[in-house]
Short mmCIF file of all heavy atoms in Angstrom, two decimals:
data_model
loop_
_atom_site.label_atom_id
_atom_site.label_comp_id
_atom_site.label_asym_id
_atom_site.label_seq_id
_atom_site.Cartn_x
_atom_site.Cartn_y
_atom_site.Cartn_z
N GLY A 106 -16.75 93.59 -7.00
CA GLY A 106 -15.68 94.56 -6.93
C GLY A 106 -16.19 95.98 -6.74
O GLY A 106 -17.31 96.34 -7.13
N VAL A 138 -10.60 78.22 -14.07
CA VAL A 138 -10.31 77.69 -15.40
C VAL A 138 -10.23 76.17 -15.28
O VAL A 138 -9.51 75.64 -14.43
CB VAL A 138 -8.98 78.23 -15.96
CG1 VAL A 138 -8.66 77.59 -17.30
CG2 VAL A 138 -9.06 79.76 -16.09
N GLY A 218 -14.48 56.42 -33.53
CA GLY A 218 -15.00 57.71 -33.95
C GLY A 218 -14.68 58.78 -32.95
O GLY A 218 -14.19 58.51 -31.86
N GLY A 275 -5.07 44.23 -26.15
CA GLY A 275 -5.34 43.20 -25.15
C GLY A 275 -6.77 42.72 -25.17
O GLY A 275 -7.22 42.03 -24.25
N SER A 292 -11.92 18.03 -52.30
CA SER A 292 -11.01 18.92 -51.56
C SER A 292 -11.31 18.85 -50.06
O SER A 292 -12.32 18.31 -49.62
CB SER A 292 -11.15 20.35 -52.07
OG SER A 292 -12.43 20.87 -51.75
N SER A 366 6.89 -14.36 -22.74
CA SER A 366 6.56 -15.41 -21.77
C SER A 366 6.13 -14.77 -20.48
O SER A 366 6.74 -13.75 -20.05
CB SER A 366 7.77 -16.30 -21.52
OG SER A 366 8.09 -17.08 -22.67
N SER A 454 -2.67 0.46 -38.65
CA SER A 454 -1.53 -0.37 -39.06
C SER A 454 -2.05 -1.77 -39.33
O SER A 454 -3.21 -2.12 -39.07
CB SER A 454 -0.48 -0.40 -37.96
OG SER A 454 -0.98 -1.13 -36.83
N ASN A 621 -5.27 -66.89 50.94
CA ASN A 621 -6.03 -66.97 52.19
C ASN A 621 -7.07 -65.87 52.27
O ASN A 621 -6.87 -64.75 51.79
CB ASN A 621 -5.07 -66.86 53.40
CG ASN A 621 -4.12 -68.05 53.46
OD1 ASN A 621 -4.46 -69.14 53.02
ND2 ASN A 621 -2.94 -67.82 54.00
N THR A 658 -4.59 -60.78 59.32
CA THR A 658 -3.70 -61.40 60.32
C THR A 658 -2.30 -61.28 59.79
O THR A 658 -2.09 -60.96 58.61
CB THR A 658 -4.05 -62.88 60.52
OG1 THR A 658 -3.87 -63.60 59.29
CG2 THR A 658 -5.50 -63.06 60.99
#
Side-chain angles (χ1 to χ4, degrees):
V138 176
S292 67
S366 292
S454 70
N621 295 330
T658 62

